[in-house]
C-alpha cells in the first residue's frame, strides 16, 4: 500500500533553481511540498509521490530560486550623505569633507540625534525595496552610534524590523567601526570601551548575533581588532570583519584565525589571506556597490577564491556613505561586469554562500527537503537573466516560511 504524504501546500508549474552546492541544479517543471514553514518534498512534478495537500498553487511558467539573502548591510542610520556625494563629484576630497565635519562622523552625529522611532521609519523605507526584489533574509549592522546607548538603539531598531516585516533579520555589533569624536586621539581607550562595555551589554541583552570590526589604516589596527575578537569570543558571539578594502593589513588572515564567518570587501586580500580563509571556512563577502561608488580599480582576487574554493557571497553593503544601494539584484550585475564573476557564482553569492556567511546554511540558501520554504518566483526563462537585467522591478512573488508574502 502506497503511503500518502500530508502537506499544507503544493507549489508547481515553474522550473526550480535549487542552488545546491553553489550550482543551479535546475529542476525542470518542478514541484515543492510544504508543511508548516519547511520543504517536505521537492523534485520534478512528474515524480510527485502521493500527496494530500490542503492547497495547491500553480505557476504559469517562470523560475523559482531560493529567497535572496543580503548578508552585509548598514541599513539603520540617521540622515544621509547625498550632499557629500555631490561634493566629491565636484572635486572636493574626502579628507576635506571629513575635516569639515563630514564623512562617517556626520552619520554618527545624525544617528545619535535621531529618535528610535524615526530610525525605524527610515530603515523601513530602505528595507522595503530590498524585500520587493526577493530578499527573505538580511543582516543589519550597528556602527553609527559608537556609544553604548546609540549602538543599542540601532540594534533594537534592526531587531524590530524583523518583527514588523516578513523577513529574517540577523544583527551585528559593529561598534569598532570608527573612532567617535569624544575619543579623538584615544583609539586604544575606545577599543577598551567597546570590549569592556558595549560587547558584553549587547550580548547580555541578546541584541547582536555577531561582532564585526573595520580593520584599516583609517579605522583600527589588527592588534586592536584582535582585542575586539577576544571580547566577542568571551561573550559567546561569532565574528566577521571589514578587511582589505583599501589596503593590505592581513585582516582577513586575522579573521580566519578566529574562525570568522566572513571577511568582507577584500579588494587587497593576498594569496596567504585567501589560503587562511580557505582553511578556516571563512566566506568572502564581496561588495561591488562600494567598489563602484568609490571608483576603485583593484578588484578582489576572484581567481584565488576560485582556486582555493573559498565561497564568494555578495551583498548590497547598503550604507549612507559608500553604497547607498537599495537593489540586491543590481549587485549581481555589478559582480559579473566589474568583478568578472559568472551569473551562477553571483546567484550563489546571494543564496547559499550568503547563508553560510551568516551561519544559516542548515536552514536557508538552497531549496532542499528540510530547509525553510523561502523562495522567489520570477517571470524569467533562464537564471542568468537575474544578473542580466539592469534596474526595473520585476513582478516577483515571494514565499516566506511557506506563505506568499503580501
Amino acid at each position: 500500500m502506497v503511503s500518502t504524504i500530508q502537506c499544507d501546500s503544493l507549489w508547481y508549474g515553474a522550473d526550480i533553481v535549487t542552488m545546491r552546492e553553489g550550482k543551479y541544479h535546475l529542476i525542470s517543471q518542478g514541484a515543492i511540498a510544504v508543511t508548516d514553514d519547511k520543504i517536505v518534498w521537492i523534485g520534478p512534478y512528474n515524480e510527485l509521490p502521493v500527496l494530500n495537500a490542503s492547497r495547491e498553487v500553480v505557476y504559469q511558467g517562470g523560475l523559482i530560486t531560493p529567497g535572496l539573502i543580503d548578508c552585509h548591510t548598514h541599513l539603520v542610520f540617521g540622515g544621509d550623505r547625498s550632499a557629500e556625494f555631490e561634493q566629491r563629484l565636484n572635486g572636493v576630497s574626502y579628507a576635506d569633507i571629513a575635516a569639515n565635519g563630514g564623512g562617517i562622523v556626520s552619520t554618527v552625529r545624525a544617528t545619535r540625534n535621531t529618535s528610535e522611532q524615526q530610525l525605524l521609519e527610515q530603515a523601513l523605507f530602505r528595507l522595503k525595496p530590498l524585500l520587493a526584489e526577493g530578499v527573505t533574509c538580511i543582516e543589519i549592522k550597528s556602527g553609527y552610534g559608537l556609544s553604548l546607548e546609540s549602538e543599542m538603539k540601532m540594534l533594537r531598531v534592526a531587531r524590530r524590523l524583523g518583527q514588523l516585516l516578513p523577513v529574517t533579520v540577523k544583527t551585528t555589533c559593529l561598534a569598532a567601526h570608527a573612532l567617535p569624536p569624544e575619543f579623538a586621539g584615544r583609539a586604544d581607550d575606545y577599543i577598551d570601551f567597546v570590549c569592556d562595555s558595549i560587547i558584553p551589554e549587547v550580548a547580555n541583552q541578546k541584541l547582536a548575533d555577531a561582532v564585526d570590526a573595520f580593520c584599516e589604516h583609517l579605522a583600527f589596527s589588527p592588534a586592536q581588532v584582535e582585542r575586539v575578537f577576544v571580547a566577542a569570543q568571551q561573550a559567546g558571539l561569532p565574528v566577521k570583519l571589514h578587511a582589505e578594502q583599501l589596503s593590505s593589513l592581513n585582516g582577513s588572515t586575522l579573521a580566519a584565525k578566529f574562525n570568522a564567518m566572513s571577511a568582507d570587501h577584500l579588494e587587497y586580500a593576498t594569496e596567504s589571506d585567501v589560503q587562511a580563509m580557505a582553511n578556516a571556512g571563512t566566506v568572502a563577502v564581496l561588495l561591488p556597490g562600494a567598489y563602484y561608488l568609490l571608483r576603485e580599480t583593484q578588484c578582489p582576487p576572484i581567481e584565488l577564491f576560485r582556486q582555493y574554493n573559498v565561497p564568494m557571497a555578495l551583498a548590497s553593503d547598503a550604507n549612507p556613505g559608500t553604497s547607498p544601494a537599495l537593489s540586491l539584484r543590481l549587485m549581481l550585475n555589478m559582480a559579473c561586469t566589474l568583478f568578472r564573476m559568472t551569473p551562477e557564482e553571483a546567484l550563489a553569492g546571494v543564496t547559499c554562500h550568503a547563508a553560510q556567511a551568516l551561519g544559516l546554511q542548515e536552514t536557508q540558501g538552497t531549496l532542499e527537503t528540510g530547509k525553510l520554504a523561502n523562495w522567489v518566483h520570477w517571470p524569467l526563462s533562464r537564471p542568468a537573466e537575474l544578473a542580466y537585467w539592469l534596474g526595473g522591478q520585476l513582478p516577483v512573488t515571494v514565499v516566506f516560511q511557506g506563505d506568499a508574502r503580501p
Side-chain angles (χ1 to χ4, degrees):
M1 182 177 178
V2 179
S3 60
T4 300
I5 297 177
Q6 301 288 331
C7 64
D8 295 336
S9 57
L10 177 64
W11 312 68
Y12 60 95
D15 295 337
I16 300 173
V17 183
T18 67
M19 295 313 298
R20 289 185 296 107
E21 300 168 340
K23 305 296 183 183
Y24 288 146
H25 282 297
L26 185 74
I27 300 174
S28 181
Q29 286 299 300
I32 306 175
V34 175
T35 293
D36 295 327
D37 58 357
K38 294 184 175 60
I39 297 171
V40 295
W41 189 90
I42 182 170
Y45 180 79
N46 60 14
E47 296 179 14
L48 266 175
V50 180
L51 287 171
N52 183 10
S54 300
R55 63 189 176 99
E56 295 187 6
V57 178
V58 184
Y59 295 115
Q60 303 301 315
L63 288 176
I64 292 171
T65 70
L68 305 187
I69 299 172
D70 196 348
C71 64
H72 179 131
T73 83
H74 306 252
L75 211 64
V76 176
F77 57 85
D80 73 77
R81 305 237 290 275
S82 58
E84 294 179 19
F85 172 68
E86 189 169 16
Q87 284 179 290
R88 290 201 305 271
L89 292 175
N90 281 298
V92 183
S93 72
Y94 184 84
D96 287 340
I97 291 172
N100 289 308
I104 191 172
V105 174
S106 67
T107 299
V108 171
R109 186 167 55 248
T111 301
R112 289 179 174 182
N113 292 333
T114 302
S115 72
E116 196 161 323
Q117 181 60 32
Q118 288 174 315
L119 285 176
L120 178 65
E121 292 170 359
Q122 293 168 9
L124 284 168
F125 173 81
R126 301 177 194 118
L127 178 56
K128 287 177 180 178
L130 290 164
L131 301 192
E133 284 199 333
V135 170
T136 56
C137 177
I138 192 165
E139 184 256 20
I140 301 175
K141 304 178 190 294
S142 65
Y144 292 121
L146 309 186
S147 69
L148 178 58
E149 178 186 354
S150 292
E151 287 290 296
M152 292 180 66
K153 177 174 68 172
M154 293 183 69
L155 291 168
R156 285 195 300 268
V157 169
R159 286 279 197 238
R160 185 74 178 129
L161 291 170
Q163 297 166 356
L164 292 175
L165 294 176
V167 61
T168 299
V169 174
K170 302 296 284 185
T171 58
T172 298
C173 177
L174 180 57
H177 190 197
L179 196 61
E182 61 270 25
F183 280 89
R186 298 188 295 128
D188 282 325
D189 289 345
Y190 179 63
I191 291 297
D192 286 341
F193 175 63
V194 170
C195 295
D196 298 339
S197 299
I198 296 181
I199 291 175
E201 187 61 22
V202 299
N204 182 57
Q205 297 291 327
K206 300 189 185 306
L207 288 174
D209 301 307
V211 168
D212 197 348
F214 189 14
C215 186
E216 194 56 73
H217 291 296
L218 52 73
F220 299 103
S221 70
Q224 291 165 336
V225 168
E226 184 163 10
R227 289 161 56 195
V228 172
F229 283 178
V230 169
Q233 282 188 337
Q234 292 172 344
L237 294 172
V239 300
K240 52 185 66 179
L241 186 65
H242 287 60
E244 274 71 66
Q245 180 184 8
L246 305 172
S247 62
S248 177
L249 294 180
N250 301 120
S252 41
T253 295
L254 173 63
K257 174 185 172 183
F258 282 83
N259 296 307
M261 292 191 292
S262 72
D264 304 30
H265 287 290
L266 301 174
E267 282 87 338
Y268 287 86
T270 65
E271 185 167 3
S272 62
D273 290 326
V274 175
Q275 286 179 299
M277 291 174 63
N279 292 336
T282 298
V283 176
V285 177
L286 309 181
L287 305 169
Y291 176 93
Y292 165 80
L293 204 77
L294 292 174
R295 298 179 177 179
E296 295 289 351
T297 56
Q298 170 114 0
C299 286
I302 302 298
E303 285 299 334
L304 288 176
F305 294 138
R306 289 170 177 155
Q307 178 183 338
Y308 288 97
N309 296 312
V310 173
M312 292 181 286
L314 293 173
S316 69
D317 192 19
N319 76 75
T322 61
S323 187
L326 299 180
S327 171
L328 185 58
R329 189 166 60 81
L330 180 59
M331 299 303 108
L332 301 184
N333 181 277
M334 285 187 173
C336 293
T337 55
L338 300 176
F339 296 164
R340 304 299 190 265
M341 292 175 69
T342 68
E344 186 174 54
E345 287 173 332
L347 185 55
V350 296
T351 55
C352 56
H353 294 159
Q356 186 177 344
L358 297 179
L360 297 174
Q361 63 270 27
E362 298 302 318
T363 58
Q364 301 192 42
T366 62
L367 295 175
E368 300 180 74
T369 300
K371 294 282 186 81
L372 285 173
N374 291 350
W375 68 77
V376 189
H377 177 257
W378 308 87
L380 306 173
S381 58
R382 302 182 69 251
E385 286 189 78
L386 288 167
Y388 168 72
W389 292 108
L390 273 173
Q393 187 171 309
L394 299 173
V396 302
T397 302
V398 182
V399 172
F400 178 71
Q401 297 185 0
D403 289 316
R405 199 159 66 185

